[in-house]
Amino acid sequence: MSAPDHVLKLGTINPNLVKMEYAVRGPIPIRAVELIQELKNNVPKPFDEVIRANIGDCHLMGETPITFIRQVLSSSLSPKSAMNDSNIPSDVKERVKLLLSYCGGNSVGSYSDSAGVEIIRKHIAEYISKRDGFPSLWQNIILTSGASEGVKLIFSLINSSSADGKPTGVMVPIPQYPLYSATCSELGLHLISYYLDEENEWALNIEELERALNESTKLCHPKAIVVINPGNPTGAVLTKENIVQIIQFARNNNLLIIADEVYQHNIWKEGAEFHSFKKVLKENSVENLELVSLMSASKGYMGECGLRGGYMELENFHPEVRAILTKQISARLCSALIGQLAMDCIVRPPEPGEPSYEIYKKEKDSVLASLKGRAELTFKTLNSLPGIRCNPVSGAMYAFPRIEIPEKAIKEAEKLGQKPDFFYCKQLLESTGICLVPGSGFGQIPGTYHFRTTILPQPDLFRRMMDKFKEFHLKFLKDYE
Amino acid sequence: MSAPDHVLKLGTINPNLVKMEYAVRGPIPIRAVELIQELKNNVPKPFDEVIRANIGDCHLMGETPITFIRQVLSSSLSPKSAMNDSNIPSDVKERVKLLLSYCGGNSVGSYSDSAGVEIIRKHIAEYISKRDGFPSLWQNIILTSGASEGVKLIFSLINSSSADGKPTGVMVPIPQYPLYSATCSELGLHLISYYLDEENEWALNIEELERALNESTKLCHPKAIVVINPGNPTGAVLTKENIVQIIQFARNNNLLIIADEVYQHNIWKEGAEFHSFKKVLKENSVENLELVSLMSASKGYMGECGLRGGYMELENFHPEVRAILTKQISARLCSALIGQLAMDCIVRPPEPGEPSYEIYKKEKDSVLASLKGRAELTFKTLNSLPGIRCNPVSGAMYAFPRIEIPEKAIKEAEKLGQKPDFFYCKQLLESTGICLVPGSGFGQIPGTYHFRTTILPQPDLFRRMMDKFKEFHLKFLKDYE
């Protein structure tokens, strides 16, 4: 048969996907992977290792998994041999028995309800109730494939048509985790950018929210606001007062709040505290404000990214809308059972006195203390350098410092058709092997430049990275003086 | 604060989701779950067990997992203790070492590349090359969360806008697996129904394809055709001749082929054989026809639905489109690593002589032989009954028999506002506890009635189910004579 043209070409596929961008896995990280291969093939480089500080992938960077979680998961896959294994603690065995008794055919190989295994949803609701001091209903919990799937489900749910042809709008912080802009692009939602207040530790400024919202109403029908707390890429932790203001703003403007709270276990700065939107809503007796809160197994002290565990809690959803969401999730059947079981371990960790408690506590504390040390070191090192200013890394796993890029470097970047912060990160990667993500991938006020670094490389590597970075930065400033 | 109206109501959310239907988890299965609860609460019922023959969930229905797969997965989660465990065969240990060496930080808790772990993609390509006798490129393999995610990704990819406002059209068989219609609804694609030829063992009739396509061009821009082989819900296995015809049809009409081949290990009928679209394409030297082939860890002899493993192979995609797909999958990061590792075990099972081979072979053969027996029993039992006609269950895990529903029952159903086949299945459920899905959930020629049953209940239960079904059916015919 003959060979005609392709059915699928750039001009004949989904234009939203053609436009979409996702910097965390963009050109710089892709180049980093090439460099790793080149090093393996003994291509000479001015460095002997690539340091992947571009992605919040804890285990990739050497963080070790929590024994309790892994024992529960591996035992749930081979329950018969685990039950006879004297090395498996009794609380792990009991947990596995309980969880499997809620899985079809006592197997993690069966589908769960679309929203997840019932007992796990109940444990999550108990965790939230205890965390906040306000009741959580298990029927409002939906297990998801990481938090990312939750975002996509909710963005798709709210994506309505309107008679005037204007799209649905979603307020998204700038800088943001690019999942949000990518999902807006993919689904054809209008992204309403609001700038976080860098001068005020990346807080949300209500005047700025008003400005962004008012300017957007010509272009879209605003329906939701995304807040990331603790912040990605900013490392900020919102104060309770700020959260109250945001809730009032959402209420006044009839917006659904989408609270990305996946870093709720990652609080570093003295005096900073995680306040869930749910808790602040209840404390202030706000009735009927619709809220989605997102959580993940990928961050915190467990860092189980590859298992794809996560959940969302829906608050004050209309029962009819809840029913549509149930239908919406049913076609994808369920999220991975192993990720669901990991979530169970996270929301119901071993208690004092239980056989697994001591080791669990030690491992968790050690991971968190080490991350805290790196958060502080990042802040200090970056602020010690000329032309760099960094807010405290109060929470999460990232710093998003502002860098002054010399005019000469900006011109050089322009010549190459690159954004100045991209140019900076590319130079850094090619000369030191350190892989960061340019601020332009997350958004920034025009004319300002940033990058995002994770704090995830293990302590020794992290110190090496900081030293190499320092050296590069000073040389860069000198070269383009 | 005051309590205004909800932001999200039926009229303000995504209208596509409001319209969407997904019968496999629709009202009848939901009622079945209620009945299980009622039985637990000792509510008197005319039956003492609910038989869930509505969903292709193997382990739920008592199928036992393959030891080799489970050992690899549990060892990958707790590699240290597994390596010291003398009960774990050496080939399992070697497999785990190899797989982990390709995972970031040697952990299944790290993200993989968006398309999956490299070595697993390579093993999948080797499996396909060996299966078909034609090379498969590992770069064309994308690991997905079951096959469902693959469908959604591709449907989203091809969903382009057009100047005339007509949507993209996808040809979908009727009856179909409702994932396809649900995904069309969700994404706003136009579903072009083509009827499978029940008189001809559910083959694809090319004249019918032409009719469906011609009629659709007023309403949409057709861009793809979905073929499910072996068939869900039909249980049919396509002949090579039929596949050649379909390929010619797709080529003549400039259509992408989406081949759902998740039941490729489930072939029952003497003389039937699985032919992949890829192989037939290559055998006929068809150049540049774009093809997506879908595979899953959820079916076959392993039935690992809950792990959410699957892959798709892309053939002849334009490099620019391939790049967009890479970007598209990057925002969801990766599919669950445990599901990916399960796929590895499936495409590279133990070889003769390896320590795990004997048990693996025995377990696999036993599952497949048992399913084959049930496929035959289903065919015989159903065809022995008046008013039921069933094609051979040549493959997959389902039968989709045609039932004659008496006029009186149709009138009774109308009175209740139910479709006649829904009425039939509802009566069956309430009086026997057997849960089937009405044919209307999959689509059927107007005026004909069917249901789908799985062949998954274990042999004893399956025979009980067949007996109860027989009794119900004969009584139903008599009652509505």
Side-chain angles (χ1 to χ4, degrees):
Chain A
M1 302 185 208
S2 65
D5 204 4
H6 281 89
V7 179
L8 306 182
K9 288 169 292 190
L10 280 194
T12 67
I13 61 172
N14 188 337
N16 292 339
L17 293 172
V18 177
K19 272 180 278 173
M20 172 183 155
E21 283 184 29
Y22 188 68
V24 175
R25 295 200 160 185
I28 296 223
I30 289 170
R31 176 68 186 136
V33 172
E34 286 171 9
L35 285 172
I36 293 171
Q37 200 50 51
E38 290 180 19
L39 281 178
K40 267 191 202 157
N41 299 341
N42 296 317
V43 180
K45 293 285 159 197
F47 48 86
D48 54 10
E49 63 185 344
V50 171
I51 304 175
R52 299 170 79 173
N54 59 296
I55 189 166
D57 189 347
C58 313
H59 292 195
L60 168 72
M61 298 315 293
E63 190 179 302
T64 46
I66 300 291
T67 304
F68 173 74
I69 298 178
R70 289 304 186 87
Q71 284 179 330
V72 168
L73 301 183
S74 63
S75 302
S76 75
L77 282 157
S78 296
K80 268 190 206 157
S81 47
M83 292 306 150
N84 294 322
D85 185 343
S86 57
N87 293 315
I88 304 287
S90 61
D91 53 346
V92 169
K93 289 179 184 171
E94 281 158 30
R95 173 77 58 113
V96 170
K97 261 187 231 162
L98 177 71
L99 290 172
L100 289 183
S101 75
Y102 281 84
C103 295
N106 271 280
S107 170
V108 291
S110 61
Y111 294 120
S112 71
D113 283 350
S114 311
V117 177
E118 186 178 312
I119 191 75
I120 300 177
R121 295 167 72 197
K122 286 180 175 166
H123 289 158
I124 293 171
E126 285 164 18
Y127 161 80
I128 295 171
S129 303
K130 207 172 140 192
R131 182 194 68 192
D132 293 344
F134 294 97
S136 164
L137 285 178
W138 70 270
Q139 292 88 345
N140 291 339
I141 308 294
I142 296 174
L143 275 294
T144 53
S145 184
S148 316
E149 192 195 22
V151 172
K152 210 163 162 184
L153 287 168
I154 294 297
F155 274 30
S156 173
L157 180 70
I158 67 174
N159 191 14
S160 67
S161 50
S162 70
D164 60 14
K166 284 196 273 186
T168 296
V170 180
M171 300 188 72
V172 172
I174 298 296
Q176 53 121 9
Y177 174 48
L179 165 69
Y180 292 100
S181 52
T183 309
C184 279
S185 294
E186 178 171 356
L187 299 177
L189 292 162
H190 181 81
L191 184 141
I192 308 166
S193 302
Y194 66 87
Y195 288 111
L196 297 173
D197 187 355
E198 186 165 13
E199 306 308 315
N200 192 15
E201 286 197 27
W202 298 113
L204 277 75
N205 177 310
I206 303 303
E207 279 170 31
E208 166 60 11
L209 294 181
E210 300 280 7
R211 177 208 63 76
L213 189 70
N214 290 340
E215 284 182 14
S216 78
T217 50
K218 293 183 293 286
L219 301 167
C220 69
H221 296 285
K223 205 177 285 169
I225 179 168
V226 171
V227 184
I228 311 174
N229 177 47
N232 177 4
T234 62
V237 177
L238 298 184
T239 63
K240 194 187 274 190
E241 294 65 38
N242 203 186
I243 295 174
V244 171
Q245 292 174 321
I246 297 162
I247 289 173
Q248 275 164 338
F249 171 81
R251 161 49 41 89
N252 294 341
N253 294 287
N254 232 16
L255 297 172
L256 162 74
I257 297 178
I258 300 171
D260 177 339
E261 303 181 325
V262 304
Y263 298 99
Q264 58 191 262
H265 293 127
N266 300 103
I267 305 291
W268 317 125
K269 195 185 155 193
E270 227 44 62
E273 200 184 332
F274 171 70
H275 303 284
S276 76
F277 269 81
K278 169 84 179 294
K279 182 184 73 174
V280 180
L281 208 70
K282 293 292 176 188
E283 282 178 351
N284 289 273
S285 306
V286 181
E287 299 290 329
N288 281 0
L289 183 77
E290 289 144 274
L291 168 69
V292 180
S293 165
L294 299 161
M295 178 55 178
S296 168
S298 305
K299 311 300 170 184
Y301 54 89
M302 46 286 179
E304 293 282 10
C305 305
L307 303 181
R308 312 309 295 125
Y311 72 76
M312 55 183 177
E313 185 190 23
L314 311 173
E315 189 64 22
N316 293 323
F317 268 50
H318 193 294
E320 287 174 358
V321 173
R322 185 66 188 75
I324 299 297
L325 184 55
T326 299
K327 201 172 58 170
Q328 180 189 4
I329 58 175
S330 69
R332 83 4 165 181
L333 296 160
C334 63
S335 67
L337 269 277
I338 295 298
Q340 294 192 32
L341 267 62
M343 267 326 316
D344 190 82
C345 298
I346 294 160
V347 297
R348 210 166 67 101
E351 296 284 336
E354 292 180 341
S356 298
Y357 180 73
E358 292 303 331
I359 294 176
Y360 157 78
K361 181 81 169 54
K362 206 178 116 193
E363 290 174 344
K364 175 184 169 180
D365 290 351
S366 152
V367 169
L368 291 177
S370 174
L371 282 169
K372 186 178 178 182
R374 281 174 268 160
E376 285 160 6
L377 180 62
T378 308
F379 172 70
K380 271 186 209 154
T381 309
L382 293 175
N383 282 309
S384 74
L385 294 174
I388 296 196
R389 220 177 45 204
C390 185
N391 272 316
V393 184
S394 305
M397 300 174 166
Y398 314 99
F400 195 69
R402 181 159 172 185
I403 41 175
E404 305 294 333
I405 297 185
E407 268 311 310
K408 211 172 135 195
I410 294 177
K411 291 228 169 77
E412 184 69 23
E414 269 168 15
K415 253 192 264 167
L416 296 166
Q418 295 174 355
K419 289 180 180 160
D421 52 355
F422 181 95
F423 174 76
Y424 179 92
C425 291
K426 187 81 192 319
Q427 297 287 312
L428 175 72
L429 175 64
E430 297 289 350
S431 60
T432 67
I434 298 172
C435 179
L436 307 178
V437 187
S440 43
F442 305 91
Q444 52 201 355
I445 291 183
T448 70
Y449 305 110
H450 301 75
F451 60 77
R452 186 186 82 166
T453 179
T454 75
I455 57 168
L456 292 177
Q458 289 299 298
D460 279 358
L461 181 60
F462 192 69
R463 276 185 290 269
R464 276 209 302 287
M465 171 172 118
M466 285 286 132
D467 289 346
K468 285 184 187 181
F469 174 77
K470 235 192 251 182
E471 197 187 329
F472 163 83
H473 180 73
L474 295 174
K475 184 164 182 302
F476 184 89
L477 288 192
K478 211 173 139 209
D479 288 353
Y480 293 100
E481 209 173 15
Chain B
M1 299 186 212
S2 66
D5 204 6
H6 281 89
V7 179
L8 306 181
K9 289 170 292 189
L10 280 194
T12 66
I13 61 172
N14 188 337
N16 292 339
L17 293 172
V18 177
K19 271 180 279 172
M20 171 183 155
E21 283 184 30
Y22 188 68
V24 174
R25 295 201 161 186
I28 295 219
I30 289 170
R31 176 68 186 138
V33 172
E34 287 171 7
L35 286 171
I36 293 171
Q37 201 50 51
E38 291 181 18
L39 281 178
K40 267 191 201 156
N41 300 339
N42 297 315
V43 180
K45 293 284 159 196
F47 48 85
D48 52 11
E49 63 185 345
V50 171
I51 304 175
R52 300 170 78 174
N54 58 297
I55 188 165
D57 189 347
C58 313
H59 292 194
L60 168 72
M61 298 315 292
E63 190 180 301
T64 47
I66 300 292
T67 304
F68 173 73
I69 298 178
R70 289 305 185 87
Q71 283 178 331
V72 168
L73 301 183
S74 63
S75 302
S76 75
L77 281 156
S78 296
K80 266 189 207 159
S81 47
M83 293 306 151
N84 295 321
D85 185 342
S86 57
N87 294 314
I88 305 287
S90 61
D91 53 346
V92 169
K93 290 180 183 170
E94 281 158 31
R95 174 76 58 112
V96 170
K97 262 188 234 162
L98 177 70
L99 290 172
L100 289 183
S101 75
Y102 281 83
C103 295
N106 272 281
S107 170
V108 290
S110 61
Y111 295 120
S112 71
D113 283 350
S114 311
V117 177
E118 186 178 313
I119 190 75
I120 300 178
R121 296 167 71 196
K122 286 180 174 163
H123 289 159
I124 292 171
E126 284 165 18
Y127 160 81
I128 295 171
S129 303
K130 206 171 141 191
R131 182 194 68 191
D132 293 344
F134 293 96
S136 164
L137 285 178
W138 70 269
Q139 291 88 343
N140 291 339
I141 308 294
I142 296 175
L143 274 296
T144 53
S145 182
S148 316
E149 192 196 21
V151 172
K152 212 165 160 181
L153 287 168
I154 294 298
F155 275 30
S156 174
L157 180 71
I158 67 175
N159 191 15
S160 67
S161 49
S162 69
D164 60 12
K166 284 196 274 184
T168 297
V170 181
M171 300 188 73
V172 172
I174 300 295
Q176 52 121 10
Y177 174 47
L179 166 70
Y180 293 101
S181 52
T183 309
C184 280
S185 295
E186 179 171 356
L187 300 176
L189 292 162
H190 182 81
L191 184 142
I192 308 167
S193 302
Y194 66 87
Y195 288 111
L196 297 173
D197 187 355
E198 186 166 13
E199 306 309 315
N200 192 15
E201 287 196 25
W202 299 113
L204 277 73
N205 177 310
I206 303 303
E207 279 169 32
E208 166 59 11
L209 293 181
E210 300 280 8
R211 176 206 64 76
L213 188 69
N214 290 339
E215 286 182 13
S216 77
T217 51
K218 293 183 292 287
L219 302 166
C220 69
H221 296 284
K223 204 176 285 168
I225 178 168
V226 172
V227 184
I228 311 174
N229 178 47
N232 178 3
T234 63
V237 176
L238 298 183
T239 62
K240 195 186 273 191
E241 294 65 39
N242 203 188
I243 295 175
V244 171
Q245 292 174 322
I246 297 163
I247 289 173
Q248 275 164 339
F249 171 80
R251 162 48 41 90
N252 293 342
N253 295 286
N254 232 16
L255 297 172
L256 161 73
I257 296 178
I258 300 171
D260 177 340
E261 302 181 326
V262 303
Y263 297 98
Q264 57 191 264
H265 292 126
N266 300 103
I267 305 290
W268 318 124
K269 195 184 155 193
E270 228 44 64
E273 200 185 331
F274 171 69
H275 303 283
S276 76
F277 270 81
K278 168 86 179 293
K279 182 184 74 175
V280 181
L281 208 71
K282 294 291 174 187
E283 281 178 351
N284 290 273
S285 307
V286 181
E287 299 290 329
N288 281 0
L289 182 76
E290 289 143 274
L291 168 69
V292 180
S293 165
L294 299 161
M295 178 56 177
S296 168
S298 306
K299 311 300 172 188
Y301 53 89
M302 48 285 180
E304 293 281 9
C305 305
L307 304 180
R308 312 309 296 125
Y311 72 77
M312 54 183 179
E313 185 190 22
L314 311 173
E315 189 64 23
N316 293 324
F317 268 51
H318 192 293
E320 286 174 356
V321 173
R322 185 66 188 76
I324 299 296
L325 185 54
T326 299
K327 201 171 57 168
Q328 181 188 4
I329 58 175
S330 69
R332 90 348 172 188
L333 297 160
C334 63
S335 67
L337 268 278
I338 295 298
Q340 294 192 33
L341 267 63
M343 268 324 316
D344 191 82
C345 298
I346 295 159
V347 298
R348 211 166 67 102
E351 296 283 335
E354 292 180 340
S356 298
Y357 180 73
E358 292 302 330
I359 293 176
Y360 157 78
K361 181 81 168 58
K362 206 178 116 192
E363 290 175 343
K364 175 183 169 181
D365 290 351
S366 152
V367 169
L368 291 177
S370 174
L371 282 169
K372 187 177 178 184
R374 282 174 268 162
E376 285 160 5
L377 180 61
T378 308
F379 172 71
K380 272 185 207 154
T381 309
L382 293 174
N383 283 308
S384 74
L385 294 174
I388 296 195
R389 219 176 47 205
C390 186
N391 272 315
V393 184
S394 303
M397 299 174 167
Y398 315 98
F400 196 69
R402 181 159 170 184
I403 41 174
E404 305 294 332
I405 297 185
E407 268 312 309
K408 212 172 134 194
I410 295 177
K411 290 230 168 76
E412 185 68 24
E414 269 167 17
K415 253 192 264 169
L416 297 166
Q418 295 173 356
K419 290 179 180 161
D421 52 355
F422 181 95
F423 175 76
Y424 179 92
C425 290
K426 186 80 191 324
Q427 297 285 312
L428 174 72
L429 175 63
E430 297 288 351
S431 61
T432 68
I434 299 172
C435 180
L436 307 178
V437 187
S440 42
F442 304 91
Q444 52 200 354
I445 291 182
T448 70
Y449 306 110
H450 300 77
F451 60 77
R452 185 186 83 165
T453 179
T454 75
I455 57 168
L456 292 176
Q458 290 299 297
D460 279 357
L461 181 61
F462 191 70
R463 276 185 290 269
R464 274 206 305 285
M465 170 172 119
M466 284 287 133
D467 289 345
K468 284 184 187 180
F469 174 77
K470 229 192 252 182
E471 198 186 326
F472 163 83
H473 181 73
L474 295 174
K475 185 164 180 301
F476 184 91
L477 288 191
K478 212 174 138 207
D479 289 353
Y480 293 99
E481 210 171 18

